[in-house]
Amino acid sequence: MAEPHHQPQEEHLDVLTRTGEKTGISKPRGQVHRDGDYHRAVHTWIYSESTGELLLQRRSACKDSWPGLWDISSAGHISAGDSSLFSARRELEEELGIRLPNDAFELLFVYLQECVINNGAFINNEYNDVYLVTTLAPIPLEAFTLQESEVSAVRYIPIGEYKSSLASGDVQYVPYEVDGQYAQLFTIIEERYKENIESRSLSLQKQINRYAAIHLNPEMTGLSEGDKEALAYVLKASMVMDDIFYEQTWDSNPTLRDWLKENSSSSVINRLKWLYYSINKSPWSCLDENNPFLTTADSAVKLLTDATKPVSGWKGLEYRAAFPAIKPPGANFYPPDMDKKEFELWKSSLSDAEQKEAIDFFTVIRRHDVDLLSSANGLGLKKSDDLYLVPFSEEYKSSLHKASEFLLKASELSDTSSLKRLLKAKADAFMSNDYYESDIAWMELDSKLDVTIGPYETYEDALFGYKATFEAFVGIRDDTATSQVKLFGDHLQQLEKNLPLDDCYKSDSVSAAPIRVIQLLFNAGDVKGPQTVAFNLPNDERIVNERGTCMVLLKNISEAKFRHILQPIADVCIKDEQKQYIDFESFYTHTICHECCHGIGPHTIVLPDGQQSTVRLELQEVHSALEEAKADIVGLWALKYLIDQGLLPKSFLKSMYVSFLAGCFRSIRFGLEEAHGKGQALQFNWLYDKGAFVLHSDGTFSVDFTKVEEAVEGLSREILTIQARGDKGSAKLLLKCYASMTQPLKDALEKLENVQVPVDIAPVFTVANNILEKTS
């Protein structure tokens, strides 16, 4: 008996709204083009760097659109349920027989094509994700395996000649408007390869000069002999945090780092690229809204020997590891082609325990490898159940094992009991992925050698704010300064009780926060760009609820920022008669209060439906900016409260407000893509709008002391209430209304740029580097 004949199922496409959002409906491809439904597709261009040529394919004569014409290197629809990047990879292999990894594809732009052909029978309303693959040299034509039903031939053409042919309407080519949206393809490539090395070097040097190099040489007196020996191993473990953070930022970041470092001595411009990359720890500039300062043309070269069928005498396909112009919001915690909707759909399919792990600080989300060609024809083989969880202890196993060994050795050498306990607990946590006990040990640390190491902050996860990055801070405790700040930690419950917030949202169990002041010796990991002056940890809500938090203040960093940045800012931006109020003590005291205020206000909350949650989980990607704004503005409120209670001198009153005003310009210069900068813009614009900050005709600012107290309390109440309700909609609206670069801010920052006030500092760890060199 003959086998039944199965007709191949027609490819299904997701139907979009006119503005590009998914409707939740999918339809067969033929019906989509018959009905003119909006849908998505991918365009992939292959560009040969050495010859300046684009690869074109000739469309098969049997195609229902543009048969027999020369077109994009590879293109195709995004099948229902598939992602853009997956589809680009699949189409390239399916049509041309080229198998490339994710990092070969650079997303350039999205192009909306709306046209009607074939006498109205074919309506194409298509959102096209346009990718570029950059190879060093042309791929030999005999290396291609062409899909005859789609492609009849391929050839290379100089980019200028192709652009001219399109502009002249040459009928051999599928038409694209080279003076419209698609002009971006040619502009990006042309600009990338006609750069003026001298002007680019000057631009990089200018970016580097925004950071003032500061040599840190803290006194080592007071360290026991055992702790001095342990220090070398702590520093080595800290260096491993750097390796992990580079990997967490973006999947090809370690490769780019090694490439830039290896080539840094070959020319002046390559040295500048490396220097600025070392500050940012990625190709995106922290002080420029995360805009890239490198392009794929600067990136690492990779060789693939099996990307195509073998060709005699050809070693293989060499390509540039691409990176997107827009920094991936999910960093390297999620698959690069995963969006929020896919994540939420996948998470909803998990058990309760697995759902908690999915949003845990210490896991990453990965995608199972799927055979690209098995997903052709849109049969739905690649769906959200391809996602799976990996704990940090597995994802970074090799690095964490190395760091764990260093910390265990340091623990053996240390002769301070609480430090021994911390180092041993953290070494165990790296292997078990359970950081609870090690964070308790960190909070109870009582040691001259102060160590913070592990995964903590979630700023890099701009998609959800769930995932933590690795960092390390090593310092020498300043015992005198530590004793002076005990006042703040001891009064947290009193501050909580009196917050400008409805009583029903307040906690009656805020723990006194231990505060340690250190002289920073070394930092590593997530310490890119602008340097922190303090931190308040842990972020684990379990510990915050049970034990509160612990603050660490980096006094030598605060002193350097005040001297090199805040004082010069005040000289430019503050009205003459109020410059007298700028002083280090008020700046430093507000820093202390800022960190204290991370520990008060809403953390674990009850939603309107009675369900318990946390502020972080409810506000997701807007949590970090709002939390930084809360700590800042409530910190100002708290200082006024402590002054009113007679716990701080009244002389602080005016100086704290004026120093805060000057500090606004300092933080906003970090950029509005950064949580602190965005939070600071929110505060400045609110206070300016309420008349608390006043702009004068000479371009300087002052504080209206009659209005500032009410404005500070009003914003404190607004933010605290949003957090207490877990109201993400109101949080986004508040940030939209106030966290922007308004004209007064633009004018002030331009003045600072003209007089070349540094934006931040770049620490040079002289003492720590000497120790590492001696033990390497």
Side-chain angles (χ1 to χ4, degrees):
M1 184 176 177
E3 290 291 330
H5 178 69
H6 294 286
Q7 291 289 335
Q9 183 179 336
E10 186 176 6
E11 180 181 21
H12 278 61
L13 308 179
D14 285 318
V15 175
L16 310 179
T17 66
R18 185 165 190 149
T19 54
E21 288 80 33
K22 287 184 179 180
T23 63
I25 300 170
S26 67
K27 292 168 61 173
R29 175 183 177 277
Q31 292 182 24
V32 165
H33 284 292
R34 180 198 68 193
D35 300 338
D37 294 315
Y38 285 82
H39 58 284
R40 295 179 70 205
V42 290
H43 291 184
T44 300
W45 296 89
I46 297 178
Y47 177 74
S48 166
E49 192 175 74
S50 62
T51 61
E53 294 176 312
L54 287 169
L55 179 76
L56 301 185
Q57 64 158 268
R58 173 171 269 168
R59 297 171 67 83
S60 170
C62 63
K63 295 288 288 181
D64 54 8
S65 62
W66 314 113
L69 301 190
W70 291 99
D71 198 5
I72 304 157
S73 309
S74 170
H77 291 100
I78 299 177
S79 300
D82 282 351
S83 71
S84 171
L85 180 56
F86 180 88
S87 301
R89 292 178 60 205
R90 183 195 64 210
E91 291 295 332
L92 195 61
E93 181 173 5
E94 183 182 290
E95 294 183 353
L96 303 183
I98 302 175
R99 189 179 185 94
L100 295 177
N102 287 342
D103 71 352
F105 295 81
E106 177 184 3
L107 180 60
L108 297 182
F109 57 91
V110 178
Y111 163 63
L112 175 58
Q113 186 177 30
E114 296 173 298
C115 65
V116 180
I117 58 175
N118 297 353
N119 296 317
F122 190 96
I123 306 171
N124 197 38
N125 291 323
E126 197 166 76
Y127 280 92
N128 297 285
D129 293 344
V130 181
Y131 289 92
L132 182 68
V133 171
T134 302
T135 63
L136 260 61
I139 302 168
L141 297 185
E142 56 268 37
F144 293 99
T145 303
L146 304 184
Q147 183 184 23
E148 293 182 5
S149 62
E150 298 280 339
V151 184
S152 61
V154 292
R155 70 181 176 100
Y156 277 95
I157 183 172
I159 187 170
E161 180 183 333
Y162 179 54
K163 183 180 179 182
S164 298
S165 297
L166 291 178
S168 66
D170 192 323
V171 295
Q172 297 182 73
Y173 303 96
V174 174
Y176 294 100
E177 296 180 1
V178 294
D179 56 350
Q181 293 182 61
Y182 230 93
Q184 295 175 82
L185 171 70
F186 302 98
T187 301
I188 290 169
I189 295 175
E190 289 165 358
E191 290 296 321
R192 184 172 290 180
Y193 291 98
K194 74 171 188 181
E195 69 172 5
N196 182 307
I197 291 179
E198 183 178 352
S199 65
R200 190 171 179 208
S201 296
L202 289 172
S203 176
L204 282 168
Q205 187 64 66
K206 186 177 179 181
Q207 289 177 299
I208 293 167
N209 289 345
R210 292 180 294 180
Y211 291 88
I214 304 297
H215 290 262
L216 298 183
N217 301 293
E219 291 291 330
M220 306 289 284
T221 53
L223 279 189
S224 66
E225 289 304 311
D227 287 354
K228 285 181 181 177
E229 291 185 51
L231 175 58
Y233 289 95
V234 170
L235 292 175
K236 289 180 178 180
S238 300
M239 293 290 287
V240 179
M241 300 302 102
D242 243 9
D243 292 335
I244 299 175
F245 177 67
Y246 277 107
E247 186 177 345
Q248 289 184 303
T249 303
W250 165 56
D251 57 355
S252 292
N253 208 27
T255 302
L256 178 60
R257 175 196 59 186
D258 295 344
W259 173 266
L260 292 172
K261 185 176 182 179
E262 180 184 334
N263 290 277
S264 62
S265 59
S266 62
S267 67
V268 171
I269 192 168
N270 283 343
R271 180 180 66 84
L272 294 173
K273 289 176 188 176
W274 169 243
L275 285 175
Y276 198 51
Y277 175 88
S278 299
I279 291 172
N280 292 279
K281 299 193 175 185
S282 82
W284 299 283
S285 175
C286 298
L287 295 180
D288 299 297
E289 311 292 334
N290 282 327
N291 286 322
F293 59 93
L294 300 174
T295 74
T296 296
D298 303 307
S299 195
V301 174
K302 291 187 175 182
L303 171 65
L304 294 175
T305 57
D306 58 354
T308 68
K309 65 184 179 185
V311 174
S312 178
W314 183 52
K315 64 180 179 180
L317 191 153
E318 289 182 289
Y319 71 94
R320 294 275 186 187
F323 59 86
I326 298 174
K327 185 180 180 185
N332 194 24
F333 298 120
Y334 310 94
D337 56 355
M338 187 206 81
D339 58 23
K340 295 182 78 167
K341 188 169 185 177
E342 183 186 1
F343 177 85
E344 296 293 356
L345 180 66
W346 167 72
K347 183 166 76 76
S348 68
S349 70
L350 304 177
S351 67
D352 289 347
E354 289 172 327
Q355 287 193 31
K356 288 181 179 179
E357 289 183 16
I359 59 176
D360 188 71
F361 288 108
F362 314 125
T363 61
V364 297
I365 313 301
R366 294 291 176 249
R367 192 186 295 288
H368 288 294
D369 288 334
V370 178
D371 186 281
L372 295 173
L373 296 185
S374 71
S375 184
N377 303 319
L379 298 183
L381 298 178
K382 195 202 77 59
K383 298 297 181 186
S384 59
D385 58 6
D386 293 325
L387 301 178
Y388 65 98
L389 285 160
V390 183
F392 280 6
S393 53
E394 288 297 320
E395 181 73 8
Y396 313 116
K397 186 173 185 178
S398 175
S399 294
L400 287 175
H401 177 74
K402 188 190 302 183
S404 180
E405 291 294 310
F406 286 141
L407 292 184
L408 287 172
K409 182 65 176 176
S411 178
E412 292 171 6
L413 292 170
S414 173
D415 46 21
T416 301
S417 59
S418 64
L419 181 60
K420 289 175 75 74
R421 178 189 167 211
L422 167 65
L423 298 174
K424 171 67 165 58
K426 195 63 73 172
D428 292 344
F430 284 165
M431 295 292 93
S432 69
N433 214 51
D434 183 352
Y435 287 87
Y436 183 88
E437 291 300 329
S438 69
D439 280 341
I440 296 295
W442 177 80
M443 293 186 70
E444 296 175 348
L445 180 64
D446 181 14
S447 168
K448 190 71 175 178
L449 177 58
D450 198 278
V451 179
T452 302
I453 187 168
Y456 285 108
E457 304 292 5
T458 61
Y459 302 124
E460 279 301 293
D461 180 2
L463 199 61
F464 291 108
Y466 293 156
K467 307 304 178 184
T469 48
F470 282 82
E471 64 186 23
F473 292 87
V474 182
I476 309 301
R477 188 177 67 194
D478 186 325
D479 292 322
T480 301
T482 297
S483 66
Q484 292 171 343
V485 300
K486 189 173 183 295
L487 158 78
F488 298 94
D490 289 346
H491 287 82
L492 283 190
Q493 184 62 66
Q494 189 176 347
L495 290 171
E496 174 80 17
K497 182 180 178 181
N498 289 278
L499 282 173
L501 176 69
D502 290 351
D503 288 343
C504 62
Y505 297 129
K506 295 176 183 176
S507 171
D508 57 5
S509 59
V510 175
S511 303
I515 304 176
R516 308 197 292 261
V517 181
I518 69 171
Q519 303 291 333
L520 184 65
L521 176 73
F522 187 75
N523 67 19
D526 188 0
V527 292
K528 67 185 190 307
Q531 297 295 296
T532 187
V533 295
F535 49 88
N536 188 65
L537 297 172
N539 289 321
D540 187 332
E541 287 90 356
R542 296 174 304 168
I543 299 175
V544 173
N545 292 331
E546 294 168 13
R547 305 286 294 267
T549 58
C550 177
M551 284 163 269
V552 178
L553 306 171
L554 286 53
K555 192 167 186 182
N556 52 346
I557 298 296
S558 288
E559 290 168 337
K561 290 201 180 202
F562 180 81
R563 184 169 62 253
H564 293 277
I565 300 165
L566 194 73
Q567 192 70 64
I569 285 175
D571 291 340
V572 174
C573 293
I574 302 301
K575 192 74 172 168
D576 283 345
E577 53 263 34
Q578 291 195 357
K579 287 179 182 177
Q580 61 179 308
Y581 298 121
I582 301 289
D583 64 67
F584 175 71
E585 284 307 314
S586 58
F587 168 70
Y588 180 59
T589 304
H590 179 255
T591 299
I592 298 169
C593 235
H594 169 106
E595 296 305 327
C596 282
C597 289
H598 278 305
I600 61 175
H603 289 92
T604 298
I605 59 176
V606 178
L607 301 177
D609 63 2
Q611 183 180 347
Q612 190 175 82
S613 185
T614 68
V615 178
R616 179 179 67 90
L617 292 180
E618 294 307 312
L619 299 192
Q620 296 184 331
E621 75 276 8
V622 297
H623 170 255
S624 293
L626 207 67
E627 176 62 23
E628 291 305 324
K630 179 208 84 173
D632 250 355
I633 202 70
V634 175
L636 266 188
W637 169 87
L639 285 176
K640 175 65 167 57
Y641 176 83
L642 294 173
I643 290 170
D644 289 345
Q645 299 302 305
L647 297 169
L648 288 175
K650 289 187 182 298
S651 59
F652 264 35
L653 195 56
K654 291 184 177 181
S655 63
M656 73 179 190
Y657 288 130
V658 180
S659 295
F660 177 81
L661 169 58
C664 286
F665 302 117
R666 180 184 71 86
S667 297
I668 291 168
R669 296 175 86 202
F670 298 162
L672 300 193
E673 289 297 312
E674 195 268 347
H676 298 80
K678 184 179 291 186
Q680 197 75 71
L682 161 62
Q683 296 167 81
F684 174 90
N685 289 325
W686 175 285
L687 295 173
Y688 181 81
D689 186 57
K690 305 302 180 186
F693 291 164
V694 180
L695 173 62
H696 300 278
S697 58
D698 62 356
T700 61
F701 292 82
S702 66
V703 176
D704 185 333
F705 297 117
T706 67
K707 296 180 179 178
V708 69
E709 182 181 340
E710 182 181 349
V712 166
E713 183 168 325
L715 181 56
S716 297
R717 179 179 295 277
E718 182 79 13
I719 293 175
L720 289 167
T721 303
I722 286 172
Q723 290 185 320
R725 294 173 177 170
D727 188 350
K728 184 178 178 181
S730 293
K732 292 177 76 171
L733 182 61
L734 183 66
L735 289 167
K736 181 180 179 181
C737 290
Y738 289 100
S740 60
M741 190 62 71
T742 55
Q743 197 59 48
L745 283 175
K746 288 179 183 176
D747 293 342
L749 299 193
E750 187 175 328
K751 286 175 67 176
L752 295 173
E753 182 78 13
N754 290 338
V755 297
Q756 297 185 348
V757 175
V759 177
D760 209 68
I761 63 170
V764 180
F765 304 110
T766 312
V767 172
N769 290 337
N770 287 338
I771 294 171
L772 286 167
E773 286 175 10
K774 290 177 183 177
T775 58
S776 60

